[in-house]
């Protein structure tokens, strides 16, 4: 199996399971799919969610990432019906919220695609807020601490749908190839000579 899913912190998983067991938390969630499930649900495929805090390098610094939380796919039978996010608080890992929508099915699809690759990877999610974009980050160091690190040039990024215009969803890109494209997307256009600024 090429994907080495890192273990989530135990308190993060416990917080999600507690929320799933709370009728109030499930009822208040804006997730009709989760509220309508009959029978058991489970929290599976924990993925660390990293945020790329600057696409365009500043003062010679390369883009940096930071761990923002852990995401769990909430499954009922053979399908994912929602996802649950956790966040780090002063008291440790805590449940944040449930959600559903295109990123849930897109994440599941990207993970299935990644299973067919010949190389081993550690799956993570990488959010690019400047472009309203989320990618499946396939990190080549499968033994790495999932809470740290930055995308290596040979790592793969798989944009999830919906992807920004001009970037194909579900097409794997090497970090070294995709980051320059993202940099161009974020860089403001230079005004033409003589045009108003």
């Amino acid at each position: 199996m090429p994907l080495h899913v890192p273990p989530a912190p135990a308190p993060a998983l416990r917080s999600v399971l507690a929320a799933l067991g709370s009728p109030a938390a499930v009822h208040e969630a804006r997730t009709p799919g989760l509220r309508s499930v009959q029978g058991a649900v489970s929290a599976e495929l924990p993925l660390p969610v990293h945020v790329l805090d600057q696409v365009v390098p500043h003062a010679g610094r390369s883009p940096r990432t930071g761990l923002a939380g852990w995401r769990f796919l909430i499954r009922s039978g053979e399908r994912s019906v929602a996802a649950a996010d956790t966040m780090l608080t002063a008291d440790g890992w805590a449940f944040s919220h449930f959600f559903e929508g295109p990123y849930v099915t897109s994440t599941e699809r990207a993970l299935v695609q990644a299973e067919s690759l010949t190389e081993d990877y550690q799956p993570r999610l990488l959010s690019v807020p400047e472009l309203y974009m989320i990618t499946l980050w396939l990190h080549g160091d499968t033994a790495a601490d999932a809470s740290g690190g930055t995308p290596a040039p040979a790592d793969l990024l798989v944009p999830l749908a919906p992807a920004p215009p001009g970037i194909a969803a579900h097409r794997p890109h090497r970090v070294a190839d995709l980051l320059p494209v993202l940099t161009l997307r974020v860089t403001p256009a230079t005004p033409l000579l003589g045009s108003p600024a």
Side-chain angles (χ1 to χ4, degrees):
M1 183 169 104
L3 292 184
H4 298 262
V5 178
L13 176 58
R14 281 195 301 270
S15 73
V16 169
L17 295 177
L20 282 172
S22 165
V26 171
H27 180 71
E28 290 173 9
R30 294 186 189 135
T31 52
L34 180 59
R35 289 196 313 258
S36 67
V37 167
Q38 300 293 321
V41 292
S42 59
E44 299 179 8
L45 292 168
L47 296 171
V49 181
H50 292 259
V51 175
L52 187 64
D53 68 356
Q54 60 176 36
V55 174
V56 180
H58 295 288
R61 288 192 330 217
S62 59
R64 296 175 295 161
T65 62
L67 181 66
W70 283 80
R71 179 167 295 166
F72 298 79
L73 292 182
I74 307 302
R75 295 182 62 83
S76 172
E78 294 298 312
R79 67 186 185 94
S80 293
V81 294
D85 275 357
T86 63
M87 61 183 180
L88 191 58
T89 68
D91 296 322
W93 288 101
F95 170 75
S96 175
H97 63 280
F98 292 115
F99 69 94
E100 61 185 44
Y103 284 129
V104 175
T105 54
S106 187
T107 300
E108 194 168 40
R109 177 181 168 189
L111 287 166
V112 169
Q113 283 181 288
E115 284 286 347
S116 66
L117 299 173
T118 56
E119 296 180 43
D120 289 358
Y121 291 103
Q122 182 189 84
R124 304 170 174 202
L125 292 173
L126 182 65
S127 172
V128 186
E130 291 171 286
L131 294 172
Y132 303 100
M133 176 181 180
I134 298 178
T135 70
L136 177 64
W137 169 15
L138 299 173
H139 191 47
D141 183 357
T142 60
D145 178 356
S147 65
T150 56
D155 287 354
L156 295 180
L157 296 177
V158 182
L160 300 182
I167 297 175
H170 296 287
R171 183 170 162 231
H173 302 270
R174 296 248 177 244
V175 168
D177 299 331
L178 186 59
L179 274 185
V181 173
L182 300 183
T183 299
L184 291 174
R185 293 290 180 131
V186 174
T187 305
T190 306
L192 297 174
L193 215 50
S195 66

